[in-house]
Amino acid sequence: MNCRIGIGYDIHRLAEGRKLFLGGVEIPYIKGLLGHSDADALLHAICDAMLGAAGSSDIGELFPNTDQKYQDISSLELLKIVGALLREKGFKIGNIDAVVIAQEPNLSPFKKLIQAKIAQTLNIGEQSVNIKAKTNEGLGEIGAKEAIACYSTVLLVREG
Ligand SMILES: [Zn+2]
C-alpha cells in the first residue's frame, strides 16, 4: 500500500455584505469571507492538502482567480473537481483532518453538517472526515475577527 500525505492552509478576510461559507455550509454570521469564489477557506485548505498529497500543484494554479469561470463559484465544485482528479491518478482518500481558526462564530453546532457535506461531495465515508474548530484566544487579526484561517492534512492511499 502506497500512502502519501499533504498539508493545506488558507486564510481569507472577513467582510460585511458577504455570506459565510465554511466546508460548503452557509453559516449565519454578520460577515462573510472575501474572495474571488465563495472564499470557503476550509475547502480551499482541504483541496490544497489533497493536491499536495498527490503531488499536483495547488488550487491557485488549477483555478486561477483571473479566470471569470471561477467568479463566485461554490468551492464544493472545486472540491469535486480535485476529488475526480485524484481518482484519475489512482488515489483513494484515507482520511481528511482540518482545523478552522475563527474567533467568531461558534462552529460547534455546524461541525457534523460540514463533515457530512465534505464526505458526500467526495463520495467517502463521514468517518474519514474530521473537522475541529478553535478560537485564536483574541490574538492578532484572527482574534480581532478580521479573518478566518484553516489548516488541513489529507492522507491518500494508492493500492497496487
Ligand atoms: Zn481561499
Side-chain angles (χ1 to χ4, degrees):
M1 210 152 55
N2 186 0
C3 292
R4 292 177 61 106
I5 194 162
I7 183 170
Y9 168 79
D10 197 25
I11 186 166
H12 282 268
R13 280 178 194 277
L14 281 165
E16 276 167 30
R18 294 272 300 178
K19 286 180 177 172
L20 177 60
F21 288 98
L22 285 169
V25 174
E26 189 180 337
I27 315 271
Y29 189 50
I30 46 165
K31 294 181 189 175
L33 295 172
L34 201 58
H36 184 66
S37 63
D38 61 3
D40 191 323
L42 176 56
L43 292 186
H44 295 176
I46 290 172
C47 282
D48 263 356
M50 289 167 70
L51 290 166
S56 301
S57 100
D58 60 48
I59 53 168
E61 206 168 291
L62 209 57
F63 312 111
N65 61 12
T66 47
D67 194 330
Q68 286 300 319
K69 208 164 57 177
Y70 304 119
Q71 178 102 44
D72 295 322
I73 194 174
S74 164
S75 295
L76 285 170
E77 294 302 316
L78 308 183
L79 183 68
K80 212 178 282 178
I81 295 169
V82 171
L85 205 126
L86 299 198
R87 272 194 301 278
E88 262 168 44
K89 288 191 154 206
F91 287 112
K92 251 178 43 183
I93 292 168
N95 72 298
I96 296 171
D97 191 21
V99 190
V100 182
I101 309 166
Q103 195 61 38
E104 274 182 4
N106 175 19
L107 297 171
S108 308
F110 301 99
K111 279 198 291 194
K112 281 258 175 302
L113 199 59
I114 291 172
Q115 284 169 189
K117 195 86 171 180
I118 293 168
Q120 187 189 15
T121 304
L122 290 170
N123 207 6
I124 58 176
E126 280 179 38
Q127 72 285 350
S128 301
V129 184
N130 190 70
I131 306 297
K132 302 182 292 295
K134 301 180 72 72
T135 73
N136 212 38
E137 293 286 338
L139 293 165
E141 289 84 359
I142 296 170
K145 303 163 210 164
E146 289 170 11
I148 290 177
C150 300
Y151 292 89
S152 176
T153 53
V154 171
L155 186 77
L156 296 182
V157 181
R158 183 155 50 188
E159 284 161 341

